[in-house]
Amino acid sequence: MSTSSGYVQKTADSVPGFAAYLPGRVRRSLSMLDLNTLDALLEVRLRLCRPVILVLEDGERLLGHRGLCRPGEEAICFTREMRDEALQLLTDRSLYAAEEQLKSGYLTVAGGHRVGVVGRAVTSGGTVESIADVSSINLRVARDAKGCSAAVLPRLLGGPLGVYRSLIFSPPGCGKTTLLRDLARRLSDGIGSKKPFRVAIVDERSELAGCYCGVPQRDVGMRTDVLDRVPKAVGIMMVIRAMSPQVIVTDELGRPEDVDAVEECLNAGVALLASAHAGSIEELIRRPALAAMLSRGLFDRYVRLSDRPRVGTVAEILEADEVAEIGKVVQLGPEARRSASVDCQRAHSW
Amino acid sequence: MGLKLAGALLLIVSGLILGDREARRYDARHRDLCAMQHALLMLETYVARTVQPFPRALSSVGLAVRGPAGRLMCAVADELMSNPHLTLAQGWTRVLLAVKRGGRAHGFPAYRDDDLQVLGRLFAALGAGGRDDQVSHIRLARETLAINEESARRDLDTYPRLWRYLGAMGGATLALFIV
């Protein structure tokens, strides 16, 4: 049904898939949003006894009873009853069956949407046993950005393994996972006339493939095997032995035990595409585990992403020797560090 | 005279059938309460020992338990599977409404309102609790149904015979009037 604004007005029948996991009142209100708003929707944030907030590409908006909250209109308040309803719907009416997942603070639901859950953590011996009295739920809408790796991929192909060992880094929310997923898909499906690769994803947090009941909810390619919810250090060794992949893709390196696993992977003749949180090479070097990887030369390419001018922008692609040089300068002092960083950005940003 | 005798015979047979039908309801309620307790015991095992979500657990239990109690479980499971936005309590209410509208009356368990209230309370408590919490709710419902079953068993000793007598005597009385 077209409206005067030119948007196609959503009806209850065309409510997006993720809305099925939200309480009835929120679902009904979402069904009144126009297509453009729904397309720009990144997160639905539900906080107990507070208004429902939608995180859109251009900022946050409150959710009213009939779509986005207008000035002077009351926003939907997320009540305890709505919380219980949401928890039922998010866990297929079976919170008990999702207790293991909830310990890690998030769930993956059908469609690959990730749901963060916080509340009162019940701990025993320093480990979280369960989350009780859930106070906030954050539904992150899964969005495919197929083809987002088109600009980067040619720079990552080559070397004896066919794919350079690459580390993608950026601050949170710049599109590392999305880029990794698209790289996995394209390598797995084949690029032009090149032979496709056997890809294995070690998905510690079900973020890359978004597996639900064993089925990847995101398109990760036809030759991709997914090892879901296993610590990276263990998972990398498992997939090497079990699936003999040519390329392993994994997310968020940074723990000390990851170093040995990555080294083992590379010694086994398997290419690795991984990501890490860091705003710059300097920050990367200051993280002990990542610094160890850098000093051992475990990666050939370093891709820095930025959210400016928009999420997923490739800020620079550096080669191992350039990063090693920066590493030396970082140890020299702030002055040398600044000039090296400027030189490097001039030479390689694109 | 022959017609009168035939009519009288028809009345007596009708009375017997009506009385027997009422008597059978007591029998059916007792049987269906036993079956539901069995179903809840299975459901409790699913919840305590597996990570199967309720819709699939209800479906498995429904298929394993024969008769109307199993069909009721299957109906709730179907409702939940085809409507992912429904909570357990909403799914249960929908099935009950469908039954009351007559859509699924055939083969529905011979439960009385107090039996249905026990199940209604159970479905309202399921879904948003931890494993131990859910098991204790199922156990409570099973024990309450066991009390209802005990009362149904006591009724079984008295009322079926009473209804059969009433049916036969009522039919015979009407037949006497005709003759």
Side-chain angles (χ1 to χ4, degrees):
Chain A
M1 184 172 71
S2 292
T3 60
S4 55
S5 62
Y7 298 147
V8 176
Q9 187 69 49
K10 288 269 180 183
T11 63
D13 295 325
S14 57
V15 175
F18 64 82
Y21 301 106
L22 299 170
R25 275 162 69 188
V26 177
R27 195 168 56 239
R28 275 190 294 279
S29 181
L30 281 176
S31 74
M32 294 173 195
L33 294 177
D34 59 65
L35 260 181
N36 289 8
T37 311
L38 283 175
D39 284 345
L41 184 59
L42 302 175
E43 294 175 13
V44 181
R45 288 192 171 265
L46 309 164
R47 297 181 177 99
L48 199 59
C49 303
R50 279 165 286 174
V52 175
I53 294 176
L54 302 184
V55 181
L56 304 169
E57 280 173 355
D58 59 351
E60 293 188 352
R61 301 284 296 276
L62 299 183
L63 186 69
H65 294 270
R66 300 177 63 79
L68 291 180
C69 215
R70 293 175 189 84
E73 193 187 340
E74 202 181 332
I76 295 177
C77 182
F78 187 56
T79 60
R80 285 177 203 282
E81 292 73 27
M82 289 164 81
R83 186 234 0 227
D84 291 346
E85 188 182 347
L87 281 177
Q88 273 211 41
L89 300 177
L90 287 165
T91 56
D92 198 6
R93 289 59 66 101
S94 315
L95 189 65
Y96 71 92
E99 275 180 327
E100 262 318 295
Q101 275 194 65
L102 269 180
K103 279 183 195 175
S104 56
Y106 62 88
L107 300 164
T108 305
V109 294
H113 312 292
R114 275 169 57 85
V115 184
V117 177
V118 292
R120 181 170 55 83
V122 181
T123 56
S124 167
T127 56
V128 178
E129 288 291 307
S130 64
I131 302 274
D133 301 332
V134 169
S135 58
S136 293
I137 296 171
N138 173 28
L139 191 145
R140 292 174 69 178
V141 180
R143 290 162 19 129
D144 274 327
K146 284 189 181 172
C148 67
S149 64
V152 188
L153 191 59
R155 297 280 302 270
L156 305 186
L157 292 176
L161 303 174
V163 180
Y164 286 118
R165 305 165 296 181
S166 307
L167 182 69
I168 297 162
F169 66 97
S170 77
C174 291
K176 294 183 294 293
T177 307
T178 310
L179 180 61
L180 274 178
R181 188 184 303 125
D182 199 53
L183 285 169
R185 181 183 66 80
R186 294 200 66 198
L187 292 171
S188 168
D189 287 345
I191 314 138
S193 58
K194 291 197 174 187
K195 259 180 79 178
F197 292 86
R198 284 190 309 276
V199 179
I201 291 180
V202 180
D203 202 0
E204 185 168 350
R205 305 193 306 154
S206 288
E207 214 169 2
L208 275 166
C211 274
Y212 179 73
C213 299
V215 182
Q217 302 291 299
R218 322 301 296 272
D219 185 358
V220 287
M222 66 174 98
R223 293 175 191 83
T224 301
D225 307 301
V226 182
L227 184 58
D228 196 33
R229 288 184 180 273
V230 63
K232 279 179 285 290
V234 181
I236 287 173
M237 298 315 297
M238 279 174 73
V239 286
I240 290 174
R241 290 193 202 107
M243 308 310 290
S244 62
Q246 293 167 301
V247 181
I248 291 179
V249 179
T250 191
D251 214 2
E252 293 181 17
L253 293 178
R255 283 187 299 221
E257 60 267 29
D258 295 343
V259 183
D260 291 336
V262 169
E263 193 161 24
E264 274 300 310
C265 166
L266 303 180
N267 290 339
V270 181
L272 179 78
L273 300 178
S275 70
H277 285 304
S280 62
I281 283 285
E282 287 85 346
E283 282 180 26
L284 209 61
I285 292 165
R286 280 189 211 111
R287 294 184 62 185
L290 295 170
M293 288 183 207
L294 264 63
S295 65
R296 290 192 210 176
L298 299 185
F299 291 101
D300 304 315
R301 295 282 186 275
Y302 294 83
V303 181
R304 182 165 71 86
L305 296 185
S306 163
D307 58 353
R308 287 180 192 166
R310 60 189 178 82
V311 171
T313 302
V314 180
E316 59 184 337
I317 300 178
L318 302 173
E319 292 183 10
D321 48 353
E322 293 162 340
V323 172
E325 212 164 288
I326 297 173
K328 283 178 205 156
V329 175
V330 167
Q331 286 163 355
L332 288 176
E335 278 302 313
R337 195 184 309 158
R338 256 199 302 278
S339 66
S341 177
V342 169
D343 289 347
C344 208
Q345 277 177 13
R346 261 190 221 137
H348 299 285
S349 59
W350 56 296
Chain B
M1 187 61 189
L3 207 62
K4 276 188 176 178
L5 276 175
L9 198 65
L10 201 66
L11 279 171
I12 292 170
V13 171
S14 304
L16 279 170
I17 290 171
L18 281 174
D20 188 57
R21 205 174 72 178
E22 282 303 311
R24 274 169 191 267
R25 279 193 193 173
Y26 287 92
D27 189 39
R29 179 176 174 236
H30 179 256
R31 185 197 60 218
D32 291 343
L33 281 172
C34 285
M36 185 52 81
Q37 285 177 73
H38 180 213
L40 290 183
L41 186 62
M42 284 180 73
L43 187 66
E44 187 184 318
T45 311
Y46 271 105
V47 173
R49 303 266 174 239
T50 74
V51 289
Q52 266 202 38
F54 271 118
R56 274 196 283 157
L58 286 170
S59 177
S60 307
V61 169
L63 292 171
V65 176
R66 287 182 180 182
R71 279 198 288 275
L72 181 64
M73 288 289 200
C74 281
V76 179
D78 289 346
E79 197 68 45
L80 293 172
M81 284 176 182
S82 51
N83 297 292
H85 59 276
L86 291 183
T87 61
L88 277 168
Q90 288 165 341
W92 166 255
T93 310
R94 276 203 186 194
V95 170
L96 268 196
L97 280 175
V99 168
K100 282 180 183 164
R101 281 193 208 112
R104 294 181 202 169
H106 178 70
F108 187 74
Y111 294 140
R112 286 195 327 215
D113 281 350
D114 51 342
D115 306 326
L116 292 175
Q117 276 167 11
V118 174
L119 292 173
R121 280 198 298 273
L122 172 66
F123 278 101
L126 294 184
R131 200 178 290 274
D132 295 343
D133 171 77
Q134 303 291 275
V135 166
S136 58
H137 278 294
I138 296 171
R139 207 167 281 168
L140 175 68
R142 198 157 51 81
E143 281 164 13
T144 315
L145 288 183
I147 294 167
N148 288 10
E149 186 220 321
E150 181 58 32
S151 122
R153 200 185 56 73
R154 279 200 300 273
D155 290 348
L156 207 57
D157 295 337
T158 323
Y159 291 104
R161 202 181 306 160
L162 182 73
W163 274 104
R164 285 193 182 99
Y165 279 132
L166 267 176
M169 299 306 285
T173 312
L174 284 173
L176 274 176
F177 275 119
I178 288 176
V179 177

